[in-house]
Amino acid sequence: MQLGNLLEEDARTGQLRLIVPNASSRSAEGSVGEGAAVRRGVIRFLVVVIDASESMNQRDMRPSRIGVASQVVSTFIDNFFDQNPISQLALVELRQGKAEKITELSGNARHHRGRLEERVVASRGV
């Protein structure tokens, strides 16, 4: 059963509601909850800016500040594309007063996470 067949659009607000025919199909809900406010066809373009200054290499957090920021951004990327499957995202880092593009605008979460991890490893000097 396709998710499109389980969605009902509110004519007034344009929000989508999940229709669950019976209790056995609850596993088809995925990350969209019943009555969740999801708008079909909304395309978002988002640029995430990451601080990559020298202070981010401090180890007052484990493994380091940049490591924690990387984990948070990676989780955000997954959640963003789960909730906005047709949207696009780009990553930019700030280092020594300059902005440097990590990734172009794209809808490929795996590419964004991979490039982000490469930058974190490079910033550690490993």
Side-chain angles (χ1 to χ4, degrees):
M1 188 178 299
Q2 293 181 341
L3 185 60
N5 297 335
L6 298 174
L7 296 176
E8 177 181 86
E9 186 171 2
D10 186 309
R12 186 177 54 83
T13 64
Q15 292 183 343
L16 298 177
R17 280 181 296 221
L18 188 62
I19 301 169
V20 181
N22 58 38
S24 66
S25 66
R26 287 217 183 259
S27 64
E29 286 182 26
S31 63
V32 179
E34 196 168 350
V38 177
R39 291 185 57 95
R40 187 184 307 204
V42 176
I43 301 174
R44 292 178 174 87
F45 298 93
L46 179 69
V47 177
V48 177
V49 180
I50 302 164
D51 179 9
S53 63
E54 287 299 317
S55 66
M56 293 297 282
N57 287 324
Q58 291 183 5
R59 299 198 178 267
D60 56 346
M61 297 180 186
R62 291 189 185 210
S64 65
R65 289 181 184 181
I66 193 70
V68 172
S70 171
Q71 292 168 1
V72 170
V73 171
S74 184
T75 301
F76 173 81
I77 290 169
D78 290 337
N79 291 336
F80 178 77
F81 286 115
D82 282 346
Q83 296 172 16
N84 305 284
I86 59 174
S87 295
Q88 296 189 10
L89 181 134
L91 298 175
V92 172
E93 74 176 4
L94 297 177
R95 183 185 302 272
Q96 298 176 348
K98 295 180 182 175
E100 187 175 337
K101 177 179 50 178
I102 298 175
T103 61
E104 299 275 346
L105 274 173
S106 81
N108 187 341
R110 191 175 328 139
H111 173 69
H112 294 302
R113 286 191 315 270
R115 293 286 292 143
L116 179 62
E117 183 59 33
E118 288 173 13
R119 289 296 180 126
V120 169
V121 168
S123 73
R124 288 182 190 149
V126 174

